Amino acid sequence: APNMVLSDAQNHHPGIDNSGPFLMMNPFSSRCCQHNHAAGWVYYAENTWMATPDNGLAVQLYAEGTVKAKVGTGAGIEVSLDQVTKYPFDDKINITVNTPASVSFPLYLRIPAWCKNPVIKVNNKLVNVKGIAGGYIRLTTLWKQGDHIALQLPMEIKVRTWERNKNSVSVNYGPLTYSLKIEEQYILKDSKQTAIGDSQWQEGADPKKWPSYEIHPQSAWNYGLILDKQNPERSFTIVKKRWPKDNNPFMNNNTPIEIKAMGKRLPAWKIDQYGLVDLLPVSPVQTEEQVTPIVLVPMGGARLRISAFPVVK
């Protein structure tokens, strides 16, 4: 859900179709949801590279790692390609070819549709890549040990209006959608007491070793955005920070990118009778509240979030 400002053990049915404490990620409950969520990282890694019908390789998704594969015609040669990047938080991807012998094969680089002006260099030589957004760049050469491909995918702010969702807007920077930064209060709960009845957890498991938490908002969440009508993208300022020491950018306090914006509180926009964010007010919204600076963070690291924003007059 783009807008979710409470993660507790209460029953939010029928606002949420399932009955029971499905919002709180309890290790003694939810036999599919939280485990499938974690598997998403594995699927992403597994699909970063693909083989191509012309005995080459295609980079489908960008993530740090190494692929080994046989390429080229005939019996082929096993090569490995090392990908180094902080994507999607950074726009630079570096790929190094490791091969026991020179080999000719096509290497395809996917250019996301949002990227207007990609920059590619092979061994520091610029490659012409105009007009390729949403497609692939095909690089063909006699690859040698140590050859280097540098790809840059410059990121821009993009504001999207959702006419069917009360004219709300979402904010993207490059491949990521951004969400209001909400201060999170974690409340420890007994995992067995808040478990769903049919979860079939092991009787001997110690709930102290498998804690669960409710997450409540400790700061206001009901903000509308103030946008420049002619150029909404100019309403935001990108703030780049250091890469986190623990190598986990998917935390609000660790994120290497924040976006500064301006907004106003919408006091009539509250939690509804089901304990969920009430329906969005139709934008543009009139409010007499003061203009307030707000911060946006990547939605993927926001346990509590507002990502579909009303627009205020």
Side-chain angles (χ1 to χ4, degrees), residues 60 62 87 109-116 118 132-135 151 153 175:
Q60 295 287 104
Y62 297 105
Y87 184 89
L109 307 179
R110 185 178 66 85
I111 307 302
W114 55 261
C115 183
K116 298 178 182 178
I132 309 294
L151 169 63
L153 301 173

Side-chain angles (χ1 to χ4, degrees), residues 14-296:
I16 290 178
D17 194 30
N18 294 80
S19 59
F22 275 90
L23 289 187
M24 187 173 68
M25 300 306 277
N26 184 338
F28 285 80
S29 293
S30 306
R31 286 172 290 169
C32 59
C33 300
Q34 58 190 341
H35 313 296
N36 284 333
H37 178 274
W41 298 111
V42 180
Y43 298 147
Y44 189 99
E46 284 183 340
N47 291 281
T48 50
W49 292 87
M50 296 285 184
T52 61
D54 50 2
N55 302 312
L57 290 171
V59 193
Q60 295 287 104
L61 304 169
Y62 297 105
E64 193 151 313
T66 300
V67 65
K68 291 184 178 180
K70 282 190 175 181
V71 294
T73 57
I77 293 179
E78 184 176 84
V79 300
S80 68
L81 283 81
D82 297 326
Q83 186 179 165
V84 178
T85 183
K86 292 294 188 292
Y87 184 89
F89 300 95
D90 186 74
D91 62 4
K92 297 179 181 63
I93 299 105
N94 291 284
I95 300 172
T96 302
V97 178
N98 296 292
T99 176
S102 298
V103 57
S104 179
F105 68 92
L107 175 63
Y108 296 81
L109 307 179
R110 185 178 66 85
I111 307 302
W114 55 261
C115 183
K116 298 178 182 178
N117 298 299
V119 179
I120 298 178
K121 294 181 180 180
V122 176
N123 295 329
N124 292 318
K125 185 178 180 179
L126 195 64
V127 178
N128 183 6
V129 292
K130 291 184 178 180
I132 309 294
Y136 290 82
I137 296 293
R138 186 177 190 267
L139 304 176
T140 302
T141 187
L142 183 66
W143 299 102
K144 306 179 298 299
Q145 170 62 27
D147 280 348
H148 180 258
I149 302 99
L151 169 63
Q152 184 176 11
L153 301 173
M155 300 178 186
E156 298 179 351
I157 288 282
K158 179 67 175 178
V159 179
R160 179 173 179 177
T161 300
W162 300 87
E163 292 85 357
R164 294 188 182 183
N165 193 21
K166 315 295 185 182
N167 294 323
S168 62
V169 298
S170 59
V171 181
N172 284 10
Y173 179 59
L176 297 181
T177 297
Y178 281 70
S179 177
L180 178 69
K181 185 176 182 179
I182 301 171
E183 297 301 323
E184 302 165 348
Q185 179 188 16
Y186 285 76
I187 301 174
L188 180 64
K189 294 290 181 178
D190 186 317
S191 297
K192 288 189 176 181
Q193 287 185 0
T194 60
I196 297 170
D198 66 347
S199 297
Q200 300 178 9
W201 36 265
Q202 296 177 359
E203 288 289 347
D206 184 354
K208 292 182 180 179
K209 294 181 179 179
W210 300 94
S212 57
Y213 296 88
E214 291 188 342
I215 309 174
H216 292 246
Q218 254 191 332
S219 59
W221 57 265
N222 51 349
Y223 283 98
L225 287 176
I226 297 174
L227 297 180
D228 182 322
K229 292 183 180 180
Q230 300 302 320
N231 298 284
E233 286 77 13
R234 294 182 181 177
S235 308
F236 305 93
T237 301
I238 304 298
V239 179
K240 295 188 177 181
K241 303 161 66 178
R242 291 183 179 180
W243 187 256
K245 292 182 179 180
D246 64 1
N247 214 32
N248 179 12
F250 292 97
M251 299 290 290
N252 283 352
N253 295 328
N254 271 1
T255 180
I257 301 178
E258 291 183 341
I259 299 176
K260 291 184 177 181
M262 303 301 289
K264 289 185 178 183
R265 289 279 304 276
L266 302 175
W269 189 28
K270 301 178 179 179
I271 298 289
D272 68 10
Q273 67 269 36
Y274 307 119
L276 304 169
V277 175
D278 206 351
L279 291 176
L280 280 158
V282 178
S283 296
V285 185
Q286 183 69 45
T287 176
E288 302 302 321
E289 296 292 311
Q290 292 184 341
V291 176
T292 305
I294 57 176
V295 175
L296 311 184

